[in-house]
Short mmCIF file of all heavy atoms in Angstrom, two decimals:
data_model
loop_
_atom_site.label_atom_id
_atom_site.label_comp_id
_atom_site.label_asym_id
_atom_site.label_seq_id
_atom_site.Cartn_x
_atom_site.Cartn_y
_atom_site.Cartn_z
N ALA A 1 -13.73 -2.73 3.71
CA ALA A 1 -13.43 -3.20 5.07
C ALA A 1 -12.00 -2.84 5.48
O ALA A 1 -11.70 -2.76 6.67
CB ALA A 1 -13.62 -4.71 5.15
N VAL A 2 -11.13 -2.61 4.50
CA VAL A 2 -9.75 -2.26 4.79
C VAL A 2 -9.49 -0.81 4.40
O VAL A 2 -10.21 -0.23 3.58
CB VAL A 2 -8.76 -3.18 4.03
CG1 VAL A 2 -8.91 -4.61 4.51
CG2 VAL A 2 -8.99 -3.08 2.52
N LYS A 3 -8.46 -0.22 5.01
CA LYS A 3 -8.17 1.19 4.72
C LYS A 3 -7.36 1.35 3.44
O LYS A 3 -7.33 2.43 2.86
CB LYS A 3 -7.42 1.80 5.91
CG LYS A 3 -8.26 1.88 7.18
CD LYS A 3 -7.49 2.55 8.30
CE LYS A 3 -8.38 2.72 9.53
NZ LYS A 3 -8.68 1.44 10.15
N GLY A 4 -6.69 0.29 3.01
CA GLY A 4 -5.92 0.36 1.78
C GLY A 4 -5.40 -1.00 1.39
O GLY A 4 -5.46 -1.96 2.17
N SER A 5 -4.88 -1.10 0.16
CA SER A 5 -4.32 -2.37 -0.30
C SER A 5 -3.36 -2.12 -1.45
O SER A 5 -3.42 -1.08 -2.12
CB SER A 5 -5.43 -3.33 -0.74
OG SER A 5 -6.10 -2.81 -1.88
N TYR A 6 -2.48 -3.09 -1.66
CA TYR A 6 -1.55 -3.07 -2.80
C TYR A 6 -1.67 -4.38 -3.53
O TYR A 6 -1.57 -5.46 -2.93
CB TYR A 6 -0.11 -2.86 -2.32
CG TYR A 6 0.92 -3.10 -3.40
CD1 TYR A 6 0.99 -2.28 -4.52
CD2 TYR A 6 1.83 -4.18 -3.31
CE1 TYR A 6 1.92 -2.51 -5.53
CE2 TYR A 6 2.76 -4.41 -4.31
CZ TYR A 6 2.80 -3.57 -5.41
OH TYR A 6 3.72 -3.80 -6.40
N ASN A 7 -1.93 -4.32 -4.83
CA ASN A 7 -2.07 -5.52 -5.65
C ASN A 7 -0.72 -5.85 -6.26
O ASN A 7 -0.22 -5.12 -7.12
CB ASN A 7 -3.13 -5.30 -6.73
CG ASN A 7 -3.48 -6.58 -7.48
OD1 ASN A 7 -2.60 -7.28 -7.97
ND2 ASN A 7 -4.76 -6.89 -7.55
N LEU A 8 -0.15 -6.96 -5.84
CA LEU A 8 1.19 -7.34 -6.27
C LEU A 8 1.24 -7.63 -7.77
O LEU A 8 2.24 -7.38 -8.43
CB LEU A 8 1.67 -8.56 -5.48
CG LEU A 8 3.10 -9.04 -5.71
CD1 LEU A 8 4.09 -7.93 -5.44
CD2 LEU A 8 3.40 -10.25 -4.83
N GLU A 9 0.15 -8.15 -8.34
CA GLU A 9 0.13 -8.52 -9.75
C GLU A 9 -0.03 -7.30 -10.67
O GLU A 9 0.65 -7.19 -11.68
CB GLU A 9 -0.99 -9.53 -10.02
CG GLU A 9 -0.76 -10.88 -9.36
CD GLU A 9 -1.84 -11.88 -9.72
OE1 GLU A 9 -2.79 -11.50 -10.45
OE2 GLU A 9 -1.75 -13.03 -9.27
N THR A 10 -0.93 -6.39 -10.32
CA THR A 10 -1.21 -5.24 -11.18
C THR A 10 -0.42 -3.99 -10.78
O THR A 10 -0.26 -3.06 -11.58
CB THR A 10 -2.70 -4.88 -11.15
OG1 THR A 10 -3.06 -4.45 -9.82
CG2 THR A 10 -3.55 -6.08 -11.54
N GLY A 11 0.05 -3.95 -9.53
CA GLY A 11 0.73 -2.76 -9.03
C GLY A 11 -0.23 -1.67 -8.60
O GLY A 11 0.20 -0.56 -8.24
N ASP A 12 -1.53 -1.96 -8.62
CA ASP A 12 -2.53 -0.96 -8.23
C ASP A 12 -2.54 -0.75 -6.72
O ASP A 12 -2.36 -1.69 -5.94
CB ASP A 12 -3.93 -1.41 -8.67
CG ASP A 12 -4.08 -1.43 -10.19
OD1 ASP A 12 -3.15 -0.96 -10.88
OD2 ASP A 12 -5.12 -1.91 -10.67
N ILE A 13 -2.77 0.50 -6.33
CA ILE A 13 -2.88 0.86 -4.93
C ILE A 13 -4.29 1.38 -4.67
O ILE A 13 -4.79 2.23 -5.41
CB ILE A 13 -1.84 1.95 -4.55
CG1 ILE A 13 -0.43 1.33 -4.53
CG2 ILE A 13 -2.17 2.59 -3.20
CD1 ILE A 13 0.68 2.35 -4.33
N MET A 14 -4.93 0.85 -3.64
CA MET A 14 -6.26 1.30 -3.27
C MET A 14 -6.21 2.02 -1.93
O MET A 14 -5.55 1.55 -0.99
CB MET A 14 -7.23 0.12 -3.17
CG MET A 14 -8.70 0.52 -2.95
SD MET A 14 -9.12 0.91 -1.21
CE MET A 14 -9.07 -0.73 -0.48
N VAL A 15 -6.87 3.16 -1.85
CA VAL A 15 -6.97 3.92 -0.61
C VAL A 15 -8.44 4.18 -0.33
O VAL A 15 -9.17 4.64 -1.22
CB VAL A 15 -6.22 5.27 -0.71
CG1 VAL A 15 -6.36 6.06 0.58
CG2 VAL A 15 -4.74 5.05 -1.03
N ARG A 16 -8.84 3.89 0.88
CA ARG A 16 -10.23 4.13 1.26
C ARG A 16 -10.50 5.64 1.28
O ARG A 16 -9.76 6.40 1.89
CB ARG A 16 -10.50 3.52 2.63
CG ARG A 16 -11.94 3.57 3.08
CD ARG A 16 -12.13 2.72 4.30
NE ARG A 16 -13.41 2.98 4.95
CZ ARG A 16 -13.87 2.31 6.00
NH1 ARG A 16 -13.13 1.33 6.52
NH2 ARG A 16 -15.03 2.61 6.54
N SER A 17 -11.56 6.06 0.61
CA SER A 17 -11.82 7.49 0.44
C SER A 17 -12.60 8.11 1.59
O SER A 17 -12.51 9.32 1.82
CB SER A 17 -12.58 7.72 -0.87
OG SER A 17 -13.82 7.03 -0.86
N ASP A 18 -13.37 7.30 2.33
CA ASP A 18 -14.24 7.85 3.38
C ASP A 18 -13.57 7.82 4.76
O ASP A 18 -14.19 7.46 5.76
CB ASP A 18 -15.58 7.12 3.41
CG ASP A 18 -15.43 5.61 3.55
OD1 ASP A 18 -14.29 5.12 3.42
OD2 ASP A 18 -16.44 4.93 3.78
N VAL A 19 -12.29 8.20 4.80
CA VAL A 19 -11.55 8.33 6.07
C VAL A 19 -10.87 9.70 6.05
O VAL A 19 -10.69 10.30 4.98
CB VAL A 19 -10.50 7.21 6.24
CG1 VAL A 19 -11.16 5.85 6.38
CG2 VAL A 19 -9.50 7.21 5.09
N PRO A 20 -10.44 10.23 7.21
CA PRO A 20 -9.77 11.53 7.24
C PRO A 20 -8.50 11.53 6.39
O PRO A 20 -7.86 10.50 6.20
CB PRO A 20 -9.45 11.72 8.73
CG PRO A 20 -10.45 10.87 9.45
CD PRO A 20 -10.66 9.68 8.57
N HIS A 21 -8.11 12.70 5.90
CA HIS A 21 -6.93 12.81 5.05
C HIS A 21 -5.65 12.41 5.79
O HIS A 21 -4.71 11.91 5.17
CB HIS A 21 -6.80 14.24 4.50
CG HIS A 21 -7.65 14.48 3.29
ND1 HIS A 21 -8.98 14.81 3.38
CD2 HIS A 21 -7.37 14.39 1.96
CE1 HIS A 21 -9.48 14.94 2.16
NE2 HIS A 21 -8.53 14.69 1.29
N PHE A 22 -5.63 12.63 7.09
CA PHE A 22 -4.46 12.21 7.87
C PHE A 22 -4.26 10.71 7.72
O PHE A 22 -3.14 10.23 7.53
CB PHE A 22 -4.66 12.58 9.34
CG PHE A 22 -3.41 12.55 10.17
CD1 PHE A 22 -2.61 13.68 10.30
CD2 PHE A 22 -3.00 11.39 10.81
CE1 PHE A 22 -1.45 13.65 11.05
CE2 PHE A 22 -1.84 11.35 11.56
CZ PHE A 22 -1.07 12.49 11.69
N GLN A 23 -5.37 9.95 7.81
CA GLN A 23 -5.32 8.50 7.64
C GLN A 23 -4.94 8.14 6.21
O GLN A 23 -4.17 7.20 5.96
CB GLN A 23 -6.66 7.87 8.00
CG GLN A 23 -6.74 6.37 7.77
CD GLN A 23 -5.82 5.59 8.70
OE1 GLN A 23 -5.91 5.73 9.91
NE2 GLN A 23 -4.94 4.77 8.14
N LYS A 24 -5.46 8.89 5.25
CA LYS A 24 -5.18 8.60 3.84
C LYS A 24 -3.70 8.80 3.51
O LYS A 24 -3.13 8.05 2.72
CB LYS A 24 -6.06 9.49 2.95
CG LYS A 24 -7.53 9.10 2.98
CD LYS A 24 -8.42 10.16 2.36
CE LYS A 24 -8.37 10.12 0.86
NZ LYS A 24 -9.40 11.05 0.26
N VAL A 25 -3.08 9.81 4.12
CA VAL A 25 -1.64 10.02 3.92
C VAL A 25 -0.86 8.81 4.40
O VAL A 25 0.01 8.27 3.70
CB VAL A 25 -1.15 11.29 4.65
CG1 VAL A 25 0.37 11.34 4.68
CG2 VAL A 25 -1.69 12.54 3.98
N LYS A 26 -1.17 8.37 5.63
CA LYS A 26 -0.46 7.23 6.20
C LYS A 26 -0.71 5.98 5.36
O LYS A 26 0.21 5.21 5.07
CB LYS A 26 -0.93 7.02 7.65
CG LYS A 26 0.03 6.25 8.54
CD LYS A 26 0.11 4.77 8.25
CE LYS A 26 -1.25 4.13 8.30
NZ LYS A 26 -1.15 2.68 7.88
N THR A 27 -1.94 5.78 4.92
CA THR A 27 -2.30 4.58 4.17
C THR A 27 -1.63 4.53 2.81
O THR A 27 -1.08 3.50 2.41
CB THR A 27 -3.83 4.49 3.99
OG1 THR A 27 -4.44 4.36 5.28
CG2 THR A 27 -4.22 3.30 3.14
N ILE A 28 -1.65 5.65 2.07
CA ILE A 28 -1.05 5.62 0.73
C ILE A 28 0.46 5.40 0.82
O ILE A 28 1.06 4.74 -0.03
CB ILE A 28 -1.39 6.92 -0.05
CG1 ILE A 28 -1.21 6.66 -1.55
CG2 ILE A 28 -0.56 8.11 0.42
CD1 ILE A 28 -1.74 7.79 -2.43
N LEU A 29 1.08 5.91 1.89
CA LEU A 29 2.51 5.66 2.08
C LEU A 29 2.76 4.21 2.47
O LEU A 29 3.76 3.61 2.05
CB LEU A 29 3.07 6.60 3.14
CG LEU A 29 3.31 8.04 2.68
CD1 LEU A 29 3.67 8.94 3.86
CD2 LEU A 29 4.43 8.10 1.63
N HIS A 30 1.88 3.63 3.27
CA HIS A 30 2.00 2.22 3.65
C HIS A 30 1.94 1.34 2.40
O HIS A 30 2.79 0.45 2.21
CB HIS A 30 0.86 1.86 4.61
CG HIS A 30 0.82 0.40 4.99
ND1 HIS A 30 1.20 -0.05 6.24
CD2 HIS A 30 0.45 -0.70 4.29
CE1 HIS A 30 1.05 -1.37 6.29
NE2 HIS A 30 0.60 -1.78 5.10
N GLU A 31 0.96 1.58 1.54
CA GLU A 31 0.80 0.75 0.35
C GLU A 31 1.92 0.98 -0.65
O GLU A 31 2.40 0.05 -1.30
CB GLU A 31 -0.57 1.01 -0.29
CG GLU A 31 -1.78 0.82 0.63
CD GLU A 31 -1.79 -0.51 1.36
OE1 GLU A 31 -1.16 -1.48 0.90
OE2 GLU A 31 -2.43 -0.59 2.43
N TYR A 32 2.36 2.24 -0.77
CA TYR A 32 3.49 2.53 -1.67
C TYR A 32 4.77 1.89 -1.14
O TYR A 32 5.60 1.41 -1.92
CB TYR A 32 3.66 4.04 -1.81
CG TYR A 32 4.75 4.44 -2.78
CD1 TYR A 32 4.76 3.97 -4.09
CD2 TYR A 32 5.79 5.29 -2.39
CE1 TYR A 32 5.76 4.33 -4.99
CE2 TYR A 32 6.78 5.66 -3.28
CZ TYR A 32 6.77 5.18 -4.57
OH TYR A 32 7.76 5.54 -5.45
N ALA A 33 4.91 1.84 0.19
CA ALA A 33 6.07 1.17 0.79
C ALA A 33 6.08 -0.31 0.42
O ALA A 33 7.15 -0.89 0.19
CB ALA A 33 6.05 1.34 2.31
N HIS A 34 4.90 -0.93 0.37
CA HIS A 34 4.82 -2.33 -0.09
C HIS A 34 5.39 -2.44 -1.51
O HIS A 34 6.17 -3.34 -1.80
CB HIS A 34 3.36 -2.80 -0.11
CG HIS A 34 2.88 -3.37 1.18
ND1 HIS A 34 3.59 -4.31 1.90
CD2 HIS A 34 1.73 -3.14 1.88
CE1 HIS A 34 2.90 -4.65 2.99
NE2 HIS A 34 1.79 -3.94 3.01
N ALA A 35 4.98 -1.52 -2.38
CA ALA A 35 5.43 -1.57 -3.77
C ALA A 35 6.94 -1.44 -3.86
O ALA A 35 7.60 -2.21 -4.59
CB ALA A 35 4.74 -0.45 -4.56
N VAL A 36 7.51 -0.49 -3.14
CA VAL A 36 8.96 -0.28 -3.17
C VAL A 36 9.69 -1.46 -2.54
O VAL A 36 10.73 -1.91 -3.04
CB VAL A 36 9.33 1.03 -2.45
CG1 VAL A 36 10.84 1.21 -2.39
CG2 VAL A 36 8.68 2.23 -3.15
N ASP A 37 9.14 -1.98 -1.45
CA ASP A 37 9.75 -3.12 -0.76
C ASP A 37 9.82 -4.34 -1.68
O ASP A 37 10.86 -5.00 -1.79
CB ASP A 37 8.95 -3.45 0.50
CG ASP A 37 9.50 -4.66 1.25
OD1 ASP A 37 10.73 -4.86 1.23
OD2 ASP A 37 8.70 -5.40 1.85
N PHE A 38 8.71 -4.64 -2.37
CA PHE A 38 8.70 -5.80 -3.27
C PHE A 38 9.65 -5.58 -4.44
O PHE A 38 10.23 -6.54 -4.96
CB PHE A 38 7.29 -6.06 -3.78
CG PHE A 38 6.46 -6.93 -2.86
CD1 PHE A 38 5.49 -6.37 -2.06
CD2 PHE A 38 6.68 -8.29 -2.81
CE1 PHE A 38 4.74 -7.16 -1.21
CE2 PHE A 38 5.94 -9.10 -1.96
CZ PHE A 38 4.96 -8.53 -1.15
N GLN A 39 9.81 -4.33 -4.86
CA GLN A 39 10.74 -4.04 -5.95
C GLN A 39 12.18 -4.22 -5.50
O GLN A 39 13.01 -4.77 -6.24
CB GLN A 39 10.53 -2.60 -6.44
CG GLN A 39 11.41 -2.22 -7.61
CD GLN A 39 11.21 -0.76 -8.03
OE1 GLN A 39 10.85 0.08 -7.24
NE2 GLN A 39 11.45 -0.48 -9.29
N MET A 40 12.50 -3.77 -4.28
CA MET A 40 13.86 -3.86 -3.78
C MET A 40 14.19 -5.24 -3.22
O MET A 40 15.34 -5.68 -3.28
CB MET A 40 14.07 -2.81 -2.69
CG MET A 40 13.95 -1.37 -3.18
SD MET A 40 14.14 -0.16 -1.83
CE MET A 40 15.91 -0.31 -1.51
N HIS A 41 13.19 -5.93 -2.68
CA HIS A 41 13.39 -7.25 -2.07
C HIS A 41 12.32 -8.21 -2.59
O HIS A 41 11.35 -8.50 -1.90
CB HIS A 41 13.30 -7.15 -0.54
CG HIS A 41 14.10 -6.02 0.04
ND1 HIS A 41 13.53 -4.84 0.51
CD2 HIS A 41 15.43 -5.86 0.19
CE1 HIS A 41 14.47 -4.03 0.94
NE2 HIS A 41 15.63 -4.62 0.76
N PRO A 42 12.48 -8.69 -3.82
CA PRO A 42 11.43 -9.51 -4.46
C PRO A 42 11.32 -10.93 -3.95
O PRO A 42 10.41 -11.65 -4.34
CB PRO A 42 11.85 -9.49 -5.93
CG PRO A 42 13.35 -9.32 -5.90
CD PRO A 42 13.62 -8.43 -4.72
N GLY A 43 12.20 -11.37 -3.08
CA GLY A 43 12.19 -12.77 -2.63
C GLY A 43 10.85 -13.19 -2.04
O GLY A 43 10.22 -12.45 -1.28
N GLU A 44 10.42 -14.36 -2.39
CA GLU A 44 9.13 -14.87 -1.91
C GLU A 44 9.23 -15.48 -0.52
O GLU A 44 8.23 -15.89 0.07
CB GLU A 44 8.59 -15.92 -2.89
CG GLU A 44 8.28 -15.36 -4.28
CD GLU A 44 7.74 -16.40 -5.23
OE1 GLU A 44 7.62 -17.57 -4.80
OE2 GLU A 44 7.42 -16.06 -6.38
N ASP A 45 10.44 -15.55 0.03
CA ASP A 45 10.63 -16.18 1.33
C ASP A 45 10.39 -15.21 2.49
O ASP A 45 10.52 -15.59 3.66
CB ASP A 45 12.04 -16.77 1.44
CG ASP A 45 13.13 -15.73 1.20
OD1 ASP A 45 12.83 -14.71 0.56
OD2 ASP A 45 14.27 -15.95 1.66
N VAL A 46 10.05 -13.94 2.18
CA VAL A 46 9.77 -12.97 3.24
C VAL A 46 8.32 -13.14 3.68
O VAL A 46 7.41 -13.08 2.86
CB VAL A 46 10.01 -11.52 2.75
CG1 VAL A 46 9.76 -10.53 3.88
CG2 VAL A 46 11.43 -11.36 2.22
#
């Protein structure tokens, strides 16, 4: 139902495969940005 996700506990990134590659590029960067953001700003108050 979603185009992608980032699992905070496992660090796994999911990208929906049945969408155009243009969307997949944007999605994988979105989810990777979550990973980097949580690494750089781990505070739970965000």
Side-chain angles (χ1 to χ4, degrees):
V2 296
K3 294 183 176 69
S5 64
Y6 168 65
N7 189 308
L8 185 57
E9 293 184 358
T10 65
D12 293 352
I13 289 173
M14 187 279 288
V15 178
R16 186 169 167 176
S17 60
D18 54 350
V19 294
H21 278 84
F22 196 90
Q23 176 66 56
K24 289 167 78 172
V25 168
K26 202 287 305 174
T27 297
I28 200 170
L29 283 172
H30 175 107
E31 304 309 336
Y32 184 54
H34 272 312
V36 176
D37 178 33
F38 274 103
Q39 182 182 28
M40 296 178 72
H41 313 105
E44 297 180 359
D45 57 337
V46 182

